């Protein structure tokens, strides 16, 4: 049996070979976020089981569009924007199925975790950010009975409504002229500025309630 001297000699040899005392492996950085529902959502490997609509609505109602550079007593939230986009999809494509209307409502749902980064910043970050956002969006779709990726034709319709929503917001509350907005987001939608097309910012709880109301109506109709 090795005595204390032998163990000490062995440790000295190990240190000499390594050049330094070995250190325990560092823990990987935390990539999950705890939600108010109690779920732990892993951003690198999101699963549908870790997603709850209440968490999404709560988060989106507190995420500001336009980096908060809007008029009014409240930030214009992604939740309110999402309700507007779903309404715009109905205006541009009246016969669109309920499933694709739900996809329109959820088109920015991943932002309840990653936030609403302005388009130039997303471009600067590049593919890795888009890939992370895409995985999270796919998990959200699967959680609520939608395909992981919507068909390209539907994606274009939702994108068109998204751009129209940006035009309405830009000209109503973000300080853009109609000429500037048309250059950046295209022609304005032919809608009356009222109801969901009124970009007057809502308080967070009201925006959350409006988002959940549309979600529940659409899922009940599916």
């Amino acid at each position: 049996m090795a005595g204390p001297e032998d163990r000490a000699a062995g440790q000295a040899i190990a240190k000499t070979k390594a050049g330094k005392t070995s250190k325990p492996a560092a823990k990987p950085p935390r990539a999950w976020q705890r939600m108010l529902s109690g779920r732990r959502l892993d951003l690198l490997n999101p699963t549908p089981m870790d997603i709850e609509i209440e968490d999404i609505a709560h988060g989106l109602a507190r995420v500001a569009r336009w980096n908060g550079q809007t008029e009014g007593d409240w930030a214009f939230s992604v939740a309110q924007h999402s309700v507007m986009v779903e309404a715009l999809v109905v205006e541009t494509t009246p016969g669109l199925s309920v499933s694709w209307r739900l996809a329109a409502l959820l088109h920015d749902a991943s932002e309840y975790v990653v936030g609403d980064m302005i388009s130039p910043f997303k471009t600067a970050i590049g593919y890795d950010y888009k890939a992370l956002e895409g995985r999270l969006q796919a998990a959200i779709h699967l959680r609520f009975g939608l395909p992981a990726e919507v068909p390209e034709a539907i994606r274009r319709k939702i994108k068109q409504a998204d751009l129209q929503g940006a035009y309405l917001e830009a000209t109503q509350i973000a300080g853009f002229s109609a000429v500037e907005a048309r250059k950046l987001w295209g022609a304005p939608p032919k809608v009356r500025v009222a109801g969901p097309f009124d970009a007057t910012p809502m308080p967070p709880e009201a925006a959350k309630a409006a988002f959940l109301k549309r979600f529940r109506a659409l899922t009940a109709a599916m």
Side-chain angles (χ1 to χ4, degrees):
M1 181 180 294
E5 296 84 357
D6 296 319
R7 288 195 294 272
Q11 290 171 356
I13 293 170
K15 287 181 180 180
T16 300
K17 288 181 178 179
K20 60 181 179 179
T21 305
S22 60
K23 296 180 180 179
K27 290 183 179 180
R30 178 170 68 89
W32 57 265
Q33 180 176 346
R34 184 185 183 281
M35 302 296 162
L36 287 180
S37 65
R39 300 284 189 183
R40 286 190 176 187
L41 180 64
D42 186 340
L43 297 185
L44 298 181
N45 186 30
T47 69
M49 294 302 295
D50 293 326
I51 291 164
E52 296 290 348
I53 193 59
E54 287 282 346
D55 292 332
I56 292 174
H58 186 85
L60 294 185
R62 287 160 175 76
V63 175
R65 293 267 294 169
W66 306 94
N67 275 354
Q69 297 299 309
T70 50
E71 300 171 358
D73 295 332
W74 311 96
F76 186 84
S77 70
V78 176
Q80 190 173 349
H81 166 77
S82 299
V83 172
M84 180 187 287
V85 169
E86 191 260 327
L88 284 166
V89 161
V90 174
E91 289 289 323
T92 56
T93 314
L96 197 64
S97 73
V98 175
S99 294
W100 300 139
R101 289 171 62 182
L102 178 60
L105 183 72
L106 296 173
H107 78 284
D108 279 341
S110 62
E111 294 179 4
Y112 88 106
V113 175
V114 299
D116 180 32
M117 293 187 181
I118 58 175
S119 296
F121 194 51
K122 289 182 181 180
T123 301
I125 292 174
Y127 175 78
D128 287 346
Y129 174 83
K130 293 180 179 179
L132 183 151
E133 190 177 40
R135 286 194 296 270
L136 181 53
Q137 194 69 29
I140 291 168
H141 280 187
L142 294 174
R143 172 67 177 84
F144 301 117
L146 298 171
E149 293 186 14
V150 299
E152 180 60 21
I154 301 300
R155 190 197 67 79
R156 287 198 300 268
K157 290 181 184 297
I158 294 173
K159 185 61 179 178
Q160 179 188 8
D162 190 26
L163 293 173
Q164 290 177 337
Y167 180 100
L168 292 176
E169 297 160 23
T171 53
Q172 290 181 55
I173 59 171
F176 287 79
S177 69
V179 173
E180 286 179 305
R182 183 183 284 269
K183 287 179 180 178
L184 291 168
W185 298 288
K190 296 178 180 180
V191 296
R192 186 167 62 91
V193 177
F197 310 121
D198 182 353
T200 303
M202 295 178 176
E205 286 306 314
K208 176 180 177 179
F211 181 89
L212 286 173
K213 181 179 180 180
R214 290 306 305 145
F215 174 84
R216 288 165 181 157
L218 292 169
T219 51
M222 284 175 65

